[in-house]
């Protein structure tokens, strides 16, 4: 739900600004979003004992030299009691900037580390396929196969050993 609300705010932010201004806005908003990883910070914003104006001033104190637009945006979120969506707004704003710049970040999930050459090859192939600039990182987990997830493009491609075995068994059973 918060991500849907964040998308509306980001859409409004993008309409009235150029790319340079949006990038600066995003960088400063990300510094606030990082503060949300701190439990004390979140508890202060969630406290009912602190009024909204004080919460807004607290959030603004984190930002070095906030532009008037950013200050007004934080104040608006404070008035609407939506300061908790700042991380969602920051993430969505980064995604929209990536779309405007045609740059995307993806993740390759595997159970063992792939050589850098393979990751580069996958990046090049997907870059050609989708006509974008793509940067992939590798996440080593318990996934038995390979999965490429490019969130900004809404692309997820996977090859699972278990799925292949299941399909092979079903095909053999149909043939018999």
């Amino acid at each position: 739900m918060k991500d849907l609300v964040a998308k509306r705010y980001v859409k409004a932010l993008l309409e009235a600004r150029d790319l340079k201004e949006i990038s600066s806005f995003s960088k400063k908003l990300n510094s606030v979003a990082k503060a949300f990883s701190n439990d004390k910070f979140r508890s202060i914003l969630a406290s009912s004992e602190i009024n909204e104006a004080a919460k807004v001033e607290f959030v603004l104190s984190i930002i070095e030299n906030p532009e008037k637009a950013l200050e007004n945006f934080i104040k608006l979120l404070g008035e609407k009691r939506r300061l908790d969506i700042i991380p969602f707004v920051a993430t969505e704003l980064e995604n929209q900037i990536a779309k405007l710049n045609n740059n995307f970040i993806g993740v390759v999930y595997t159970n063992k580390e792939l050589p850098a050459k393979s990751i580069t090859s996958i990046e090049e192939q997907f870059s050609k396929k989708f006509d974008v600039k793509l940067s992939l990182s590798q996440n080593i987990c318990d996934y038995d196969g390979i999965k490429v997830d490019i969130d900004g493009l809404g692309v997820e491609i996977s090859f699972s050993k278990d799925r292949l075995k299941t399909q092979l068994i079903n095909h053999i059973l149909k043939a018999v």
Side-chain angles (χ1 to χ4, degrees):
M1 181 69 174
K2 290 181 182 180
D3 57 336
L4 294 175
V5 174
K7 285 182 181 187
R8 287 187 171 182
Y9 280 104
V10 169
K11 182 178 178 185
L13 286 171
L14 292 173
E15 286 179 0
R17 288 166 184 76
D18 64 347
L19 188 59
K20 184 179 177 183
E21 189 178 359
I22 292 169
S23 296
S24 171
F25 196 96
S26 176
K27 187 183 292 185
K28 291 182 180 181
L29 200 59
N30 279 330
S31 68
V32 176
K34 288 177 185 173
F36 276 83
S37 63
N38 186 321
D39 291 334
K40 288 182 182 179
F41 182 83
R42 284 194 316 268
S43 67
I44 289 170
L45 291 183
S47 174
S48 61
E49 296 173 9
I50 302 171
N51 66 18
E52 294 303 317
K55 291 177 185 178
V56 167
E57 289 304 316
F58 177 63
V59 170
L60 288 173
S61 70
I62 295 171
I63 306 167
E64 288 184 34
N65 302 322
E67 297 109 11
K68 192 67 175 170
L70 180 58
E71 194 174 315
N72 289 339
F73 180 71
I74 301 292
K75 286 179 181 178
L76 176 68
L77 290 178
E79 285 176 20
K80 302 294 182 183
R81 297 176 189 237
R82 291 187 168 158
L83 289 172
D84 60 329
I85 69 165
I86 289 175
F88 296 97
V89 172
T91 302
E92 182 60 25
L93 193 55
E94 279 186 337
N95 289 341
Q96 292 301 322
I97 290 171
K99 284 181 183 177
L100 291 171
N101 289 329
N102 213 20
N103 290 331
F104 294 91
I105 298 173
V107 181
V108 177
Y109 298 94
T110 60
N111 60 353
K112 58 184 173 183
E113 189 170 353
L114 293 175
K117 186 178 178 181
S118 297
I119 298 295
T120 305
S121 174
I122 294 170
E123 279 178 3
E124 290 171 0
Q125 294 299 321
F126 278 111
S127 292
K128 285 180 190 175
K129 172 86 173 147
F130 296 111
D131 193 28
V132 298
K133 296 174 191 165
L134 181 63
S135 175
L136 292 175
S137 62
Q138 193 170 163
N139 185 347
I140 301 169
C141 58
D142 60 349
Y143 187 76
D144 195 22
I146 296 175
K147 179 167 89 171
V148 179
D149 187 15
I150 309 168
D151 195 34
L153 287 174
V155 173
E156 182 179 306
I157 299 170
S158 64
F159 176 80
S160 170
K161 291 179 184 177
D162 292 335
R163 185 171 156 209
L164 180 64
K165 287 178 189 176
T166 304
Q167 288 177 342
L168 188 60
I169 291 170
N170 287 337
H171 183 69
I172 292 170
L173 288 174
K174 286 180 184 177
V176 175

